[in-house]
Amino acid sequence: MNGRGLITATMRELERVKVIEAVIEGRLRCFQAAERLDLCERQISRLCRRYEADGPAGLVSGKRGQPSNRELPIDLRARAMALVRERYADFGPTLACEKLAECHGLVLAKETVRRWMRDAGLWVPRRQRPPKIHQPRARRACLGELVQIDGSDHRWFEDRAPACTLLVYVDDATSRLMALHFTATESTFSYFEATRAYLERYGKPVAFYSDRASVFRPTYSRTGARGVTQFGRAMYQLNIDTFCANSSPAKGRVERAHLTLQDRLVKELRLRGIQTMEAANAWAPAFMAAYNAHFAKPPRSTFDAHRPLRDGEDLDAILTWRVTRKVSESLTVLNDLMIWLLEDTPATRRLIGHYIDVWEYPDGRIELRAGGVALPCVPYELPEIDQGAVVEHKRLGPVLQVAQAMQAQRDNRRVSGSPSRTNRGAAVRKPATLPGTKKARAFTQAELNETILQLATQHAKQPEPASKPARRSARAH
């Protein structure tokens, strides 16, 4: 008990002595003393008899200085702390409590273990821990040694066009803008397109440094193993390392570039009246030149770490989406809600029951390959059924716009047919207005696909398969 608790207990006991003396001297009645001390009258009578027999010492509680009835044995605490020091010194109280019960049969409350570990100096409460210090990391020595990449979803064209994503490539050694690419959403094929332009202009850097988005870092499978993403596989084939940052400050150069671009680039686009991603991508090199002249830093070394592309490195083949699919007994391959019919030949019959590669190109072409050889095939489409897609929060806005456009088109189809008897007198619905258009009218499928193209349906690739119309329009982009 601390000093404040002792003072409180002493004042309470002095008050009790005064009240009991008053009852014995006849200055207070028992019921009055009971109300003042919040006790019953029978207890007041007992205290009076103790005071008459032993004086003020008789009013002291007999439990003072005695261990609590709920206190655990001392040897149990010593045994538990010995085990924690020996095996679980770096464990938290909750995990240490679980291991004590699981491995040693010591069933304790986690708060008890927490208090014991705190008293023994084996665990420090979070509030008492010193704050983490993130010291700045030194820049890399030369150009192309490390390139930070990230996407920024922003209203780059303000109210002149819907929000889109800007993929930014920043060199770590110089803070130079290496590439700017406006795209609908942050997807694998968007990074393929931007990375291809980077490689064709500068060559291959040593490494790319990114965040832990699903484009760069795969999620765990059901077996607990971590695979590789399509972007990681392509960079491995090009002999380019990829690293993921643990936090946003770790890739602070590209994060600070986002803030500058969201201020300066938005205003430059406004002054030039640019309101489309195509026009912005065409003008981006001029902006990068002016930006680098103002903000770029000289590298410590004049050596350029970029490497040229080798003769055998075909970017058309490397920057593809590749999956494996099984050939059925009927010489068919199911991929993305579409059945592909293989040509019936002795060579393809030997592939029954085996897995082959399905290559999807950014322009929407599909190739079925076995042993590096393309197989002749024709598509056979399944009925269009929308599947629930897993969409990251960064791409939720464009996905909802796509859903609205597709729903509007389906509504137009329903009201354009002959009315049934039940709704023959019903009013015809107003034609839908697709996002990005001004007039309300019915749209053809080609116009719908073009609108969906502008609304960034590239979300279908990450991280789970989405509906077929959205995936196809994204790959065509």
Side-chain angles (χ1 to χ4, degrees):
M1 186 179 297
N2 55 22
R4 185 174 181 180
L6 288 174
I7 294 175
T8 304
T10 303
M11 296 300 297
R12 188 185 309 116
E13 291 174 353
L14 289 177
E15 177 69 15
R16 177 177 297 185
V17 170
K18 294 180 179 180
V19 172
I20 296 302
E21 287 179 350
V23 172
I24 294 176
E25 295 174 359
R27 292 184 284 107
L28 280 179
R29 306 287 297 274
C30 284
F31 74 90
Q32 294 175 340
E35 292 178 357
R36 181 174 298 183
L37 297 179
D38 195 16
L39 298 172
C40 63
E41 296 184 22
R42 183 172 297 180
Q43 182 65 15
I44 295 296
S45 301
R46 295 194 191 99
L47 294 177
C48 290
R49 290 195 295 270
R50 291 180 186 176
Y51 186 84
E52 292 176 348
D54 301 327
L59 302 181
V60 178
S61 174
K63 296 181 180 180
R64 172 170 291 184
Q66 300 295 327
S68 173
N69 294 333
R70 298 183 180 181
E71 184 179 1
L72 297 175
I74 298 178
D75 57 344
L76 177 62
R77 176 172 181 172
R79 180 187 173 192
M81 288 298 98
L83 291 172
V84 171
R85 286 190 181 93
E86 179 182 357
R87 300 187 180 185
Y88 315 119
D90 58 341
F91 283 37
T94 301
L95 182 58
C97 179
E98 294 175 1
K99 292 304 177 182
L100 288 175
E102 178 183 349
C103 303
H104 309 284
L106 300 180
V107 181
L108 301 169
K110 64 179 182 180
E111 293 301 327
T112 300
V113 178
R114 187 188 308 275
R115 186 179 71 254
W116 289 355
M117 292 181 64
R118 185 178 64 246
D119 296 342
L122 299 176
W123 184 78
V124 179
R126 191 175 302 274
R127 294 181 179 179
Q128 299 178 8
R129 299 175 189 174
K132 293 183 179 180
I133 299 177
H134 299 278
Q135 294 184 339
R137 175 180 56 84
R139 295 176 179 269
R140 307 309 298 176
C142 53
L143 181 70
E145 188 175 356
L146 182 66
V147 178
Q148 300 185 13
I149 60 178
D150 193 19
S152 176
D153 187 20
H154 188 66
R155 298 197 68 90
W156 297 102
F157 306 104
E158 298 175 315
D159 297 334
R160 303 186 303 277
C164 63
T165 299
L166 176 63
L167 304 184
V168 183
Y169 288 53
V170 176
D171 181 69
D172 185 82
T174 62
S175 294
R176 285 180 53 186
L177 288 181
M178 307 299 291
L180 292 179
H181 181 71
F182 289 90
T183 183
T185 56
E186 194 175 357
S187 65
T188 298
F189 277 109
S190 298
Y191 276 102
F192 277 169
E193 185 177 359
T195 303
R196 177 170 188 149
Y198 181 98
L199 298 177
E200 292 175 347
R201 182 174 181 181
Y202 302 104
K204 299 186 299 183
V206 177
F208 283 125
Y209 196 41
S210 66
D211 56 13
R212 292 188 288 181
S214 56
V215 176
F216 312 106
R217 182 181 175 87
T219 56
Y220 283 103
S221 63
R222 294 181 179 178
T223 59
R226 184 180 291 278
V228 63
T229 64
Q230 298 291 333
F231 185 85
R233 186 264 314 159
M235 295 303 103
Y236 179 79
Q237 287 187 264
L238 292 171
N239 196 18
I240 301 175
D241 291 328
T242 56
F243 303 104
C244 296
N246 288 326
S247 61
S248 296
K251 53 182 184 66
R253 315 214 191 283
V254 69
E255 294 291 347
R256 287 189 291 272
H258 287 331
L259 298 178
T260 306
L261 293 173
Q262 289 175 6
D263 178 35
R264 290 178 173 248
L265 181 56
V266 170
K267 296 173 182 177
E268 293 288 349
L269 293 172
R270 183 202 310 160
L271 293 177
R272 285 161 177 77
I274 298 176
Q275 55 187 3
T276 61
M277 292 187 294
E278 293 77 10
N281 287 328
W283 174 75
F287 175 82
M288 287 193 298
Y291 179 97
N292 293 334
H294 192 276
F295 294 104
K297 307 293 182 182
R300 287 183 294 169
S301 173
T302 57
F303 176 75
D304 191 352
H306 288 99
R307 299 158 293 163
L309 292 170
R310 297 178 178 269
D311 296 335
E313 293 176 339
D314 184 8
L315 294 181
D316 291 334
I318 294 176
L319 300 179
T320 55
W321 184 279
R322 302 182 185 181
V323 292
T324 58
R325 295 291 183 262
K326 189 175 182 180
V327 181
S328 67
E329 296 181 355
S330 56
L331 289 179
T332 60
V333 176
L334 177 62
N335 178 65
D336 192 19
L337 296 181
M338 179 177 292
I339 293 179
W340 293 88
L341 307 178
L342 295 175
E343 185 178 346
D344 189 1
T345 62
T348 55
R349 287 200 174 196
R350 287 194 294 268
L351 297 175
I352 293 177
H354 294 79
Y355 285 88
I356 63 175
D357 296 328
V358 180
W359 289 16
E360 302 184 30
Y361 292 87
D363 58 1
R365 291 183 295 116
I366 304 290
E367 281 188 0
L368 275 62
R369 289 177 168 261
V373 179
L375 303 175
C377 60
V378 294
Y380 178 80
E381 296 190 8
L382 292 174
E384 296 185 1
I385 301 176
D386 294 337
Q387 293 189 120
V390 179
V391 181
E392 291 185 350
H393 68 281
K394 289 185 178 181
R395 299 188 291 271
L396 185 58
V399 172
L400 292 177
Q401 290 181 319
V402 172
Q404 292 174 357
M406 297 177 64
Q407 291 171 359
Q409 185 69 14
R410 287 197 294 265
D411 289 340
N412 292 337
R413 290 177 186 172
R414 292 168 182 170
V415 300
S416 61
S418 58
S420 60
R421 293 183 179 181
T422 56
N423 60 356
R424 181 163 293 176
V428 179
R429 296 185 182 180
K430 182 180 178 180
T433 302
L434 294 179
T437 61
K438 296 181 179 179
K439 296 183 179 180
R441 59 184 178 87
F443 290 84
T444 63
Q445 185 64 33
E447 292 173 329
L448 175 62
N449 291 338
E450 183 179 357
T451 303
I452 294 178
L453 184 88
Q454 298 173 356
L455 294 177
T457 57
Q458 293 142 326
H459 71 282
K461 278 297 181 184
Q462 302 296 329
E464 291 289 341
S467 61
K468 181 174 63 177
R471 286 177 63 103
R472 289 188 177 172
S473 57
R475 291 163 190 162
H477 176 63

